[in-house]
Amino acid sequence: MLTHPVAKGPLPDRFRALWDEITPIGRDEDSGGYLRYALTEPELRLREWFRQQADARGLPVTEDGNGNLFAWWGHRDAGNAVLTGSHFDSVPHGGAYDGPLGIVSAFLAIDELRAADVTPDRPVVVAAFVEEEGARFGVPCLGSRLLTGALDVGRAAALRDPHGVSFAEALGDRPTGAVPELLGRLGSFVELHVEQGRVLVDRDAPVAVASAIWPHGRWRFDFTGEGNHAGTTRMADRRDPMLTYAFTVLAANKEARLRDAHATVGRVAVEPNATNAIPSRVTGWLDARAAEPETLTGLVEAVHGKVTERARRDGTVVTMTEESVTPLVAFDGGLAGRLAGLLAVPVLPTGAGHDAGVLAAHVPTAMLFVRNPTGVSHSPAESATDIDCAAGVTALATVLEELACR
Ligand code: GLV
Ligand code: MN
Ligand code: MN
């Protein structure tokens, strides 16, 4: 068995040493955040780093033809494998921890188990899923959706990034789609992730287990009107799609507040995007989430209805396109309870999407959250202390041992 060179010394120091190997990759000096779009140079370097880490530990790496990587501790044919890991890609100018923490922690958890002479009865597999954020091709959890057959291969292959590059071109091939042979070898999946809120700060706990993921989705609104001169077009004569767009942002906010749900318009594209021209077209993306599916549906329908009515008054045209919807995910209650008892940690739901939410429909799945002192995520302000990250590694090692050995 190969031993990784950093397997000695206090765990927080070993975490920091391994973490610092990737912290410069894709970091934007101005914002302090990360530009790690899937299958672009920084993410490809992280994937190369993944292979080196697997290699240093003697873990063969396989690919599934969809862009997802798997490093195997134990023989593939043994079955009932325990999958762990997360993703490398980030939202634009996102934090360091969302995604990579789950992969770094997985390698360190294997080091911990080996140092304790634990030999799993079932394979332990570290995964790096591709395009979890959907920041490049628009559909979140693209890799795990393809692997599980939740997304049409033709649709995925044809998705294009803002530069016109298709997912198939970025991948170098048409994605494979569902891989039942691989899914059939999995007995469980555990994704460790930085917490994307402040519950663990309030609860004074470094680690938690997830209970559920809110149903959520993305809807694209295309507003078209008439491009014209900002100085010469009378206000009464305008057909300005920016007005309908602005109304949509406010309507989404109001409808979400009324329902205790979440609605965000965080991305907008304007044509021609000139200071002295009334736009001809505006596209805005609505991200909406709610605790119950019917609340989410009601929210999106209400926004769509109000915006359609507003477009009539503005003399514009609006179309709404559903780009992705993820149903409510209730993680395996028995597994969550067992792990929370084992670790003596809280159990909490989240409004954030994860590959674990996609895998949960196919294999008993759990998540571990690591405290984030700022509570901020999808921003450079996201953080976690080395001591809490070490607590996360210890918790993950305990869980992997429980699932792979008992
Ligand atoms: C993923 O991070 C999401 O919830 O959008
Ligand atoms: Mn994220
Ligand atoms: Mn994530």
Side-chain angles (χ1 to χ4, degrees):
M1 182 199 303
L2 299 180
T3 312
H4 191 258
V6 293
K8 292 200 173 64
L11 185 51
D13 294 352
R14 280 186 283 128
F15 171 79
R16 177 48 55 182
L18 198 55
W19 191 245
D20 277 348
E21 291 185 15
I22 62 167
T23 45
I25 301 175
R27 188 165 186 272
D28 181 76
E29 288 306 324
D30 294 330
S31 71
Y34 285 86
L35 297 167
R36 291 169 168 170
Y37 296 107
L39 303 172
T40 61
E41 195 267 337
E43 208 245 4
L44 292 172
R45 279 175 64 196
L46 290 163
R47 294 158 76 83
E48 187 47 38
W49 177 87
F50 179 96
R51 290 178 184 281
Q52 288 163 3
Q53 292 304 312
D55 214 35
R57 293 170 174 80
L59 314 177
V61 173
T62 60
E63 302 184 36
D64 67 351
N66 295 308
N68 304 314
L69 301 177
F70 302 90
W72 293 76
W73 180 25
H75 202 278
R76 290 188 77 216
D77 292 339
N80 269 327
V82 182
L83 186 68
T84 184
S86 192
H87 61 96
F88 283 125
D89 64 303
S90 71
V91 298
H93 301 278
Y97 293 84
D98 179 353
L101 182 63
I103 298 173
V104 169
S105 300
F107 283 124
L108 288 170
I110 288 179
D111 294 347
E112 290 300 280
L113 293 175
R114 283 178 162 175
D117 284 330
V118 173
T119 308
D121 298 325
R122 294 173 279 285
V124 173
V125 190
V126 184
F129 288 104
V130 74
E131 180 69 335
E132 191 274 346
E133 300 286 6
R136 181 170 179 194
F137 295 102
V139 175
C141 301
L142 188 60
S144 54
R145 285 186 209 265
L146 279 165
L147 165 65
T148 56
L151 184 67
D152 178 71
V153 173
R155 184 181 164 217
L159 290 170
R160 290 194 182 271
D161 75 4
H163 304 288
V165 179
S166 72
F167 179 61
E169 286 163 353
L171 195 59
D173 210 343
R174 186 180 162 86
T176 304
V179 190
E181 179 269 335
L182 174 57
L183 283 176
R185 288 170 195 270
L186 304 179
S188 51
F189 177 40
V190 184
E191 180 172 359
L192 178 145
H193 205 278
V194 69
E195 195 204 350
Q196 298 174 290
R198 286 181 55 86
V199 177
L200 290 183
V201 174
D202 296 343
R203 301 277 287 265
D204 197 19
V207 173
V209 168
S211 57
I213 298 178
W214 281 17
H216 57 281
R218 298 178 181 192
W219 290 264
R220 192 183 74 240
F221 285 77
D222 291 294
F223 309 93
T224 44
E226 183 181 56
N228 211 333
H229 197 291
T232 59
T233 315
R234 289 185 308 181
M235 297 309 279
D237 293 344
R238 296 179 179 214
R239 295 196 290 119
D240 184 351
M242 187 63 88
L243 291 184
T244 325
Y245 160 76
F247 176 85
T248 306
V249 176
L250 297 176
N253 184 283
K254 180 173 176 183
E255 295 301 323
R257 285 170 183 271
L258 287 172
R259 293 169 172 79
D260 230 351
H262 294 170
T264 308
V265 182
R267 179 179 167 202
V268 60
V270 183
E271 291 174 26
N273 207 20
T275 307
N276 56 352
I278 299 162
S280 55
R281 184 185 182 92
V282 176
T283 304
W285 282 262
L286 170 69
D287 177 309
R289 313 186 187 216
E292 315 84 19
E294 52 282 6
T295 308
L296 180 62
T297 310
L299 163 63
V300 175
E301 280 175 3
V303 173
H304 186 224
K306 288 190 156 190
V307 168
T308 304
E309 158 58 20
R310 172 73 197 208
R312 256 196 299 277
R313 284 189 278 140
D314 290 337
T316 57
V317 174
V318 60
T319 59
M320 182 179 86
T321 308
E322 180 185 294
E323 290 200 333
S324 66
V325 173
T326 305
L328 171 70
V329 176
F331 288 115
D332 185 313
L335 181 58
R338 180 171 149 212
L339 300 187
L342 181 71
L343 301 170
V345 299
V347 182
L348 33 124
T350 177
H354 301 284
D355 295 306
V358 177
L359 268 291
H362 301 268
V363 60
T365 295
M367 288 194 76
L368 300 179
F369 293 134
V370 172
R371 176 166 53 193
N372 171 356
T374 63
V376 175
S377 188
H378 285 185
S379 142
E382 182 184 272
S383 76
T385 65
D386 291 354
I387 289 178
D388 283 356
C389 291
V393 171
T394 304
L396 182 60
T398 304
V399 166
L400 296 180
E401 182 176 6
E402 170 79 7
L403 296 175
C405 301
R406 303 200 205 290

